[in-house]
Amino acid sequence: MDRISVSLQDVAKEAGVSSQTVSRVANGSAAVRPGTRRKVEVAMERLGYRPNYAARALKSGKFNNVGVLLSHMSAYGNARTLEGIVSAAADNGYSTTIRTLDNLQDRSLSGALKLVEQLPLDGAVVIMERNFTDFNQFKPSRDLPVVLISEEPANYCPTIDSDSYGCSTAAVDYFLSKGHKTVYHIAGPSTSRAAQSRIRGWRDALAQVGIPTPPMYVGDWEADSGYQAGLALAHEHDCTAVYAANDQMAYGAMLGLRAAGKRVPEDVSIIGVDDSLKGVVPRLELTTLRLKFKVVGNEAFSMIERQCNGEKVPSGIKTVIPPEFIDRGSVRELN
């Protein structure tokens, strides 16, 4: 059979499967049983089939390809969110095209999307780690659906994110329920939207019950900055509870406090955020609020796919995935 004339339907007939199954195999989807995948691959090889993405796009009006824009690809939250997007896309017969924003000079959403607007994409997901200068004024193109990974809703496109603000209120409320009189905070860098949201949640939770905000310590997401904060917090006479904006800084603070002669949790209790150290640190003792980054990525892709299929996905609504509280014994109840 002439390779050019081999269609997806030809492969499906040869392999004895549905055309949708062949499409999933062609797009690298994991949602195909190994035995079935092998049958399809053998049929493709026998018939000389190669996916013709350009022809498919002309016929269907779709490229089955979603763009993802993000900074700091190696950061734990970004990497897990990206994993969620890529796996959901593959399971639904889509490919992904990734562009990083690390060297973006124009700190605007429109500038970011210029990186992909000429590419064969059906939509784009933007993981917003930092603020965009035109976040409130941006006007998306009708030809390219957009979803933002953002805790703050936008009135021009759907948004979804982890509940960073809710992490803070949950941590503070838990400490206070255990008899602690105040809660110190080790914040992430000021450029991070998630860090700023966690600061607001911490301050608001304390203010709601009339507790003055104690001094805040600022780190850079890494354990060494948490360690330095822990050394300093050991000298705060009223510090019995520390809430850190991520687990690396929380674990560093735990080591810093112990190096300064404090016991954890007997003298100082600690809660972190993200659960990024599970499987990394043996016998992990850190209580944390697990963020479901992969779920966020899955849902972000779903929002894009629904728009690609002509469905209207609401904008201007705050959609967040709540954290899961993981108790590993680093919080002591005070009498």
Side-chain angles (χ1 to χ4, degrees):
M1 183 177 289
D2 184 357
R3 174 174 295 183
I4 297 176
S5 66
V6 177
S7 69
L8 185 145
Q9 289 75 20
D10 293 329
V11 176
K13 183 177 179 180
E14 177 74 13
V17 299
S18 68
S19 297
Q20 185 179 27
T21 298
V22 176
S23 178
R24 286 175 174 169
V25 173
N27 286 284
S29 171
V32 181
R33 293 178 179 177
T36 303
R37 179 184 302 279
R38 182 57 185 158
K39 285 172 58 179
V40 172
E41 290 172 343
V42 168
M44 287 179 171
E45 185 65 27
R46 184 181 298 126
L47 299 178
Y49 172 81
R50 296 292 182 274
N52 188 331
Y53 295 104
R56 181 187 301 173
L58 286 172
K59 182 178 180 180
S60 66
K62 292 173 60 178
F63 298 101
N64 279 35
N65 190 20
V66 172
V68 184
L69 296 99
L70 76 164
S71 297
H72 304 109
M73 193 181 300
S74 62
Y76 178 78
N78 287 354
R80 293 289 289 164
T81 302
L82 178 61
E83 179 186 2
I85 297 169
V86 171
S87 62
D91 287 346
N92 289 274
Y94 281 73
S95 300
T96 47
T97 297
I98 301 168
R99 291 291 183 270
T100 61
L101 305 176
D102 296 332
N103 298 317
L104 185 67
Q105 299 299 314
D106 180 357
R107 298 303 308 175
S108 68
L109 187 53
S110 57
L113 288 169
K114 283 180 181 177
L115 297 175
V116 297
E117 63 184 9
Q118 300 300 321
L119 299 178
L121 301 176
D122 299 308
V125 178
V126 183
I127 300 177
M128 286 188 59
E129 184 176 356
R130 299 186 177 192
N131 285 318
F132 286 117
T133 56
D134 60 346
F135 179 81
N136 294 316
Q137 297 80 32
F138 179 71
K139 294 182 179 180
S141 166
R142 293 182 179 179
D143 300 327
L144 187 69
V146 174
V147 169
L148 300 182
I149 307 291
S150 167
E151 196 172 1
E152 180 181 353
N155 59 15
Y156 46 79
C157 74
T159 61
I160 187 168
D161 205 350
S162 299
D163 190 0
S164 287
Y165 183 94
C167 283
S168 297
T169 58
V172 171
D173 290 348
Y174 186 76
F175 276 131
L176 298 182
S177 74
K178 295 297 182 180
H180 296 269
K181 303 305 181 184
T182 191
V183 179
Y184 280 76
H185 184 44
I186 304 174
S190 60
T191 54
S192 166
R193 291 172 60 88
Q196 294 306 303
S197 184
R198 289 168 201 171
I199 291 170
R200 288 194 300 271
W202 165 67
R203 286 175 172 161
D204 288 354
L206 290 174
Q208 189 172 5
V209 292
I211 298 176
T213 303
M216 183 178 74
Y217 292 78
V218 179
D220 59 6
W221 295 131
E222 296 187 359
D224 282 343
S225 66
Y227 183 85
Q228 294 302 318
L231 292 175
L233 284 162
H235 300 288
E236 298 282 1
H237 72 280
D238 62 341
C239 178
T240 64
V242 176
Y243 162 58
N246 78 338
D247 277 10
Q248 287 194 43
M249 293 191 299
Y251 192 76
M254 182 186 294
L255 298 183
L257 285 161
R258 287 173 173 168
K262 293 290 185 178
R263 298 171 300 166
V264 178
E266 292 83 358
D267 299 322
V268 182
S269 297
I270 297 182
I271 293 178
V273 174
D274 66 24
D275 200 27
S276 61
L277 300 181
K278 181 182 178 182
V280 177
V281 175
R283 302 181 67 181
L284 185 61
E285 305 171 67
L286 181 63
T287 294
T288 189
L289 289 147
R290 177 183 294 161
L291 298 181
K292 300 177 182 179
F293 295 113
K294 189 172 181 180
V295 174
V296 171
N298 290 165
E299 292 299 317
F301 170 78
S302 176
M303 288 176 168
I304 283 290
E305 185 183 35
R306 285 155 58 195
Q307 291 180 83
C308 291
N309 292 333
E311 182 178 342
K312 184 173 178 58
V313 182
S315 302
I317 298 174
K318 183 175 181 177
T319 305
V320 292
I321 304 298
E324 179 183 355
F325 188 82
I326 307 295
D327 185 359
R328 294 196 179 98
S330 64
V331 177
R332 176 194 172 202
E333 185 167 2
L334 300 184
N335 297 327

